Amino acid sequence: MARTGRNEPCPCGSGKKYKRCCLAKDEQTERAASAAALTAAAASLHNHSGFCDDCYDEMAAASNAILDLIDEGKLDEAECAARDLSERFPEVHDGYARLGLICEVRGENRRAIDYYRKVIAVAREHPDAYGPGFSDAYQDLIDRLEPAESMGALPPNPRDI
C-alpha cells in the first residue's frame, strides 16, 4: 500500500492535509507497532543471557517499565532508566533499544539510528543469544529512519562537525 504524502489530502476525509490531520497519530501507531514487534521478538527468546531467573526478571521488568514511562510521556525519566539499564545489563540489547525508541519519539532520528546500531552490535557479540532475523528488524528501523535524515530533515550531528 502506498504511503500518503505529508501534503496530500488526509485519507480520513477531513479535507485537511495529512500532516495537519492524521500524520502524528499514524506515526505514533507505527512506532508502537514497531516497539511491540521488537519486544515480542525479544520475549520469544529464552533466558539467553546466562542470568539467573531473578536477574533476568529484574532486567525484563526494568525494560518494560521504561516502555511505560515512554507511553506516559515521561521521556527524561525513561532516558535515565534506559541508561541505567544499559549500564547494569550491557550484554543485552534492551537499554539501547529503549534509548533508540526515546530518541525516535523525540524526533531525534540520527541518535535513534546510533542506538539501534548498538543493538545490532550487541546481537553480533552474542550470536547464540539472538535468533535469526533479530538484527534485521533493527536494520529495518534504521532503513526507515535514514531517508528522513538524508532529506535534510535532521539537524547535523555535532560529532560529525
Side-chain angles (χ1 to χ4, degrees):
M1 181 173 139
R3 292 181 75 120
T4 304
R6 294 173 50 81
N7 290 315
E8 292 178 20
C10 189
C12 78
S14 68
K16 297 180 185 178
K17 287 185 177 183
Y18 182 53
K19 68 182 177 185
R20 302 256 184 237
C21 193
C22 293
L23 175 63
K25 176 184 62 112
D26 290 350
E27 286 177 341
Q28 178 65 26
T29 300
E30 186 176 308
R31 279 194 299 270
S34 292
L38 293 171
T39 300
S44 70
L45 301 172
H46 63 285
N47 181 356
H48 58 274
S49 309
F51 296 136
C52 68
D53 288 342
D54 289 339
C55 291
Y56 184 80
D57 290 345
E58 176 187 347
M59 185 276 304
S63 182
N64 290 332
I66 294 166
L67 291 175
D68 292 340
L69 289 169
I70 293 169
D71 288 343
E72 294 167 11
K74 298 177 180 178
L75 300 181
D76 291 338
E77 288 178 51
E79 183 175 2
C80 289
R83 289 189 188 286
D84 180 60
L85 181 64
S86 64
E87 289 173 13
R88 287 176 32 221
F89 301 99
E91 60 279 356
V92 295
H93 73 282
D94 291 58
Y96 295 125
R98 300 308 178 238
L99 286 165
L101 180 59
I102 293 162
C103 291
E104 199 176 339
V105 169
R106 287 179 172 158
E108 299 170 351
N109 291 356
R110 181 168 289 169
R111 286 183 63 211
I113 289 168
D114 290 342
Y115 284 120
Y116 293 148
R117 286 189 174 132
K118 288 180 182 183
V119 169
I120 292 170
V122 168
R124 286 184 179 150
E125 289 173 20
H126 306 282
D128 295 339
Y130 295 93
F134 180 84
S135 294
D136 294 343
Y138 282 93
Q139 187 60 54
D140 289 346
L141 280 173
I142 291 168
D143 293 344
R144 181 176 54 81
L145 294 173
E146 280 183 328
E149 177 182 326
S150 66
M151 293 171 54
L154 300 175
N157 187 335
R159 292 179 291 174
D160 295 340
I161 297 175

